[in-house]
């Protein structure tokens, strides 16, 4: 086992480790996280080999690069001593290789003469190969962690040093390929490419798997899953969002834009409570961003009061199969939609399949909506994207094999399931997040 340094992008800190752990599962690579702090973009991990390091990073979105750790220290002298003690057995491998040193400094910087002074401190390394600045055989990176605001404060030395041999870059440049600004067809609720790709990674999308989005919209999640090789399916209560404005400006057109049409299974109009999908366990993953019901209340297919509007029921029976038929919709509870997503996942996910969905909540602890639970699902990640007074969470579950589910917990859940459905008829009564949003999340007290 070898130690490596991963350099993360400076965004979405709570997503870093869950994505890294998911990639280790996908690549079947044993991973130990040795040292990590969200305040730093660096993470030290232990992996079997440099090849394993390349594999674990080749589809990462949150990471930028990975380096074989040669030494660490709080001072340059301590770093040099660490390099001598830790990496000496590796030196003969690179005696005749061309090489160069580069700096990667966080929250600080050095002048060129200062950089040269640090590089010259490694003259003890027995490298006889030429120094080449363009495409050398080996790149050695000096990673420095400087204190906050170090440049204007005139700080001369970083708090910590690492020396690493560069192994590989990540797939972060894929974010630009799928940038919504370049996509032919989007809507106001299309998930941005970075978060969609991260979601697909955490949900373990990979070749040979089939994934489903029950709130597909313009297809952000199926596109991300298809990029990683999964066959993708989707549905939406509004078929117009799927069809778009023509062949190119449609969900299918988006798949064509990225030349991944072969990985689109199919899309259809339905909602999660009125779905034609058979309740058999065949999905490898379910990824979605359910509607929050802020601009308008949440709705599902159905008649609010069949006795008062029998003509709506009769019309559906007579004309439901016609092309231009628009089915009626009824108000839906926010808490019920979360529970229904979990039940649907339990009934259709394979063993160890994953459900990843986004859920909004207030930031104030007394107004937060707790992540829903189910005895057949284990929460494996709870990532947070912060806004001003609210945030949204990417909650990821693993489908527990039936043989491992606690029977007593399952029976208690089934008996108390009705309690998750809120009483009320208006959009605000049925949606605690919507109520808080329009109150600007001010406490009732």
């Amino acid at each position: 086992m070898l130690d490596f340094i991963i350099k993360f992008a400076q965004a979405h800190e709570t997503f870093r480790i869950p994505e890294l752990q998911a990639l280790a599962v996908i690549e079947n690579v044993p991973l130990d996280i040795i040292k990590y702090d969200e305040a730093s973009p660096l993470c030290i991990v232990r992996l079997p080999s440099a090849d394993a390091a390349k594999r674990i990073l080749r589809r990462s979105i949150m990471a930028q690069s990975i380096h074989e750790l040669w030494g660490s220290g709080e001072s340059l002298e301590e770093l040099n001593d660490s390099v001598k003690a830790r990496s000496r057995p590796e030196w003969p491998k690179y005696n005749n290789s061309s090489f160069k040193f580069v700096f990667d400094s966080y929250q600080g910087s050095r002048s060129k003469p200062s950089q040269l002074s640090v590089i010259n401190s490694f003259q003890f390394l027995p490298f006889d190969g030429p120094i080449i600045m363009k495409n050398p055989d080996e790149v050695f990176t000096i990673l420095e962690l400087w204190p906050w605001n170090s440049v204007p404060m005139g700080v001369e030395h970083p708090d910590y040093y690492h020396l690493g041999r560069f192994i590989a870059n990540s797939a972060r440049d894929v974010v630009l390929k799928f940038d919504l600004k370049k996509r032919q067809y989007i809507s106001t609720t299309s998930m941005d490419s970075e978060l969609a790709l991260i979601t697909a990674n955490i949900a373990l999308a990979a070749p040979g798997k089939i994934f489903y989005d029950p709130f597909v919209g313009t297809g952000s999640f199926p596109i991300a899953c298809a990029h990683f090789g999964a066959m993708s399916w989707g549905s939406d209560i509004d078929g117009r969002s799927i069809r778009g404005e023509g062949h190119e400006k449609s969900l299918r057109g988006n798949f064509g834009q990225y030349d991944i049409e072969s990985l689109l299974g199919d899309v259809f109009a339905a909602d999660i409570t009125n779905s034609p999908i058979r309740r058999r366990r065949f999905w490898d993953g379910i990824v979605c961003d359910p509607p929050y019901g802020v601009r308008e209340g949440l709705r599902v297919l159905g008649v609010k009061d069949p006795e008062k509007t029998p003509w709506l029921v009769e019309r559906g029976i007579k004309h439901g199969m016609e092309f231009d038929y628009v089915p009626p919709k009824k108000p839906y509870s926010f808490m019920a939609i979360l529970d229904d997503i979990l039940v649907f996942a339990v009934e259709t996910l394979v063993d160890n399949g994953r459900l990843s969905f986004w859920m909004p909540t207030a930031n104030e602890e007394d107004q937060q909506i707790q992540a829903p639970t189910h005895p057949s699902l284990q929460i494996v990640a709870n990532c947070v994207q912060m806004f001003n007074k609210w945030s949204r969470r990417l909650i990821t579950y693993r489908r527990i094999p039936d043989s491992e589910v606690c029977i007593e917990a399952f029976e208690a859940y089934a008996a108390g399931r009705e309690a998750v459905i809120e009483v009320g008829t208006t959009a605000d009564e049925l949606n605690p997040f919507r109520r808080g949003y329009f109150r600007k999340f001010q406490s009732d007290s």
Side-chain angles (χ1 to χ4, degrees):
M1 299 290 282
L2 300 173
D3 288 352
F4 296 86
I5 310 170
I6 294 177
K7 170 72 182 297
F8 285 114
Q10 295 173 38
H12 305 308
E13 291 83 359
T14 62
F15 293 74
R16 294 169 173 172
I17 298 303
E19 187 203 42
L20 187 63
Q21 292 172 329
L23 295 175
V25 172
I26 291 170
E27 298 293 342
N28 194 26
V29 169
L31 166 73
D32 290 326
I33 296 172
I34 306 303
K35 183 179 180 181
Y36 175 66
D37 184 338
E38 283 188 6
S40 166
L42 303 183
C43 175
I44 298 178
V45 300
R46 188 160 292 158
L47 295 165
S49 64
D51 178 68
K54 291 179 181 178
R55 287 163 50 203
I56 206 171
L57 222 71
R58 64 186 175 186
R59 51 178 280 178
S60 174
I61 304 301
M62 288 309 308
Q64 290 181 329
S65 58
I66 190 165
H67 312 257
E68 184 181 272
L69 181 61
W70 276 36
S72 305
E74 295 182 357
S75 66
L76 188 56
E77 293 75 18
E78 190 174 315
L79 171 65
N80 288 335
D81 290 342
S82 176
V83 171
K84 294 173 184 177
R86 175 188 284 269
S87 65
R88 190 180 296 272
E90 303 296 312
W91 297 354
K93 299 178 184 178
Y94 311 105
N95 278 352
N96 299 313
S97 301
S98 61
F99 67 96
K100 71 173 179 179
F101 283 83
V102 297
F103 278 80
D104 191 331
S105 300
Y106 176 61
Q107 298 185 156
S109 62
R110 289 181 180 273
S111 65
K112 292 294 183 182
S114 179
Q115 289 184 9
L116 184 59
S117 174
V118 173
I119 292 172
N120 285 337
S121 73
F122 296 106
Q123 289 182 348
F124 60 84
L125 293 171
F127 296 162
D128 298 326
I131 298 173
I132 298 177
M133 301 310 294
K134 186 176 182 179
N135 299 323
D137 297 327
E138 304 295 338
V139 177
F140 294 91
T141 305
I142 301 162
L143 299 111
E144 298 180 329
L145 296 173
W146 291 75
W148 169 250
N149 221 22
S150 59
V151 174
M153 294 293 292
V155 178
E156 296 184 359
H157 303 289
D159 288 337
Y160 213 80
Y161 299 80
H162 297 287
L163 178 66
R165 182 177 72 87
F166 174 77
I167 300 299
N169 285 318
S170 71
R172 189 162 175 78
D173 57 345
V174 173
V175 173
L176 295 177
K177 174 183 176 181
F178 292 100
D179 189 349
L180 292 183
K181 294 178 182 178
K182 303 175 184 177
R183 191 169 298 175
Q184 296 172 160
Y185 175 59
I186 62 171
S187 70
T188 55
T189 58
S190 296
M191 181 66 68
D192 78 83
S193 61
E194 181 180 26
L195 293 175
L197 290 162
I198 294 169
T199 302
N201 268 339
I202 295 177
L204 309 183
K209 295 185 176 183
I210 53 174
F211 270 62
Y212 173 61
D213 180 355
F215 308 94
V216 70
T218 62
S220 291
F221 290 120
I223 287 170
C225 294
H227 168 71
F228 291 124
M231 180 66 71
S232 299
W233 296 66
S235 65
D236 200 282
I237 192 173
D238 187 354
R240 294 171 298 180
S241 66
I242 298 172
R243 295 189 295 271
E245 303 171 17
H247 177 69
E248 290 188 355
K249 288 195 171 184
S250 66
L251 186 150
R252 288 185 180 275
N254 285 341
F255 271 76
Q257 178 181 350
Y258 302 117
D259 196 25
I260 51 175
E261 288 177 288
S262 62
L263 290 171
L264 175 60
D266 206 349
V267 285
F268 53 93
D271 71 50
I272 200 164
T273 64
N274 296 275
S275 174
I277 294 175
R278 299 182 70 179
R279 294 305 197 264
R280 290 188 177 179
R281 299 178 58 191
F282 58 95
W283 299 124
D284 293 292
I286 299 171
V287 290
C288 59
D289 183 23
Y292 304 160
V294 172
R295 287 174 295 178
E296 58 183 24
L298 293 171
R299 294 183 177 276
V300 292
L301 298 177
V303 179
K304 182 178 179 180
D305 193 335
E307 294 183 0
K308 289 184 179 181
T309 55
W311 58 273
L312 272 176
V313 179
E314 182 180 348
R315 185 172 182 271
I317 295 172
K318 289 184 177 180
H319 305 286
M321 297 302 293
E322 294 179 4
F323 178 77
D324 59 351
Y325 174 73
V326 178
K329 300 178 180 65
K330 62 181 180 181
Y332 193 36
S333 163
F334 179 79
M335 301 310 295
I337 195 173
L338 299 181
D339 187 65
D340 284 337
I341 291 170
L342 265 60
V343 171
F344 179 84
V346 168
E347 293 176 344
T348 60
L349 280 175
V350 300
D351 284 354
N352 299 311
R354 290 198 174 186
L355 162 68
S356 289
F357 72 86
W358 289 82
M359 184 192 82
T361 184
N363 292 334
E364 292 295 331
E365 187 173 350
D366 62 341
Q367 298 185 56
Q368 286 185 1
I369 300 172
Q370 299 301 313
T373 60
H374 191 288
S376 295
L377 295 169
Q378 174 194 13
I379 295 179
V380 295
N382 193 338
C383 310
V384 184
Q385 182 188 22
M386 298 289 292
F387 298 108
N388 184 14
K389 293 186 176 182
W390 66 283
S391 58
R392 59 180 180 180
R393 297 174 180 267
L394 176 63
I395 307 171
T396 302
Y397 303 79
R398 176 183 72 92
R399 175 54 162 100
I400 303 171
D402 288 336
S403 59
E404 300 175 15
V405 176
C406 175
I407 302 299
E408 292 78 10
F410 190 88
E411 291 175 348
Y413 166 81
R417 189 184 173 200
E418 293 296 326
V420 305
I421 302 176
E422 293 189 31
V423 176
T425 57
T426 68
D428 276 354
E429 289 173 340
L430 292 167
N431 191 335
F433 177 76
R434 189 178 193 272
R435 289 199 300 270
Y437 185 90
F438 285 112
R439 288 204 317 260
K440 298 183 178 179
F441 299 103
Q442 295 178 357
S443 177
D444 292 332
S445 59

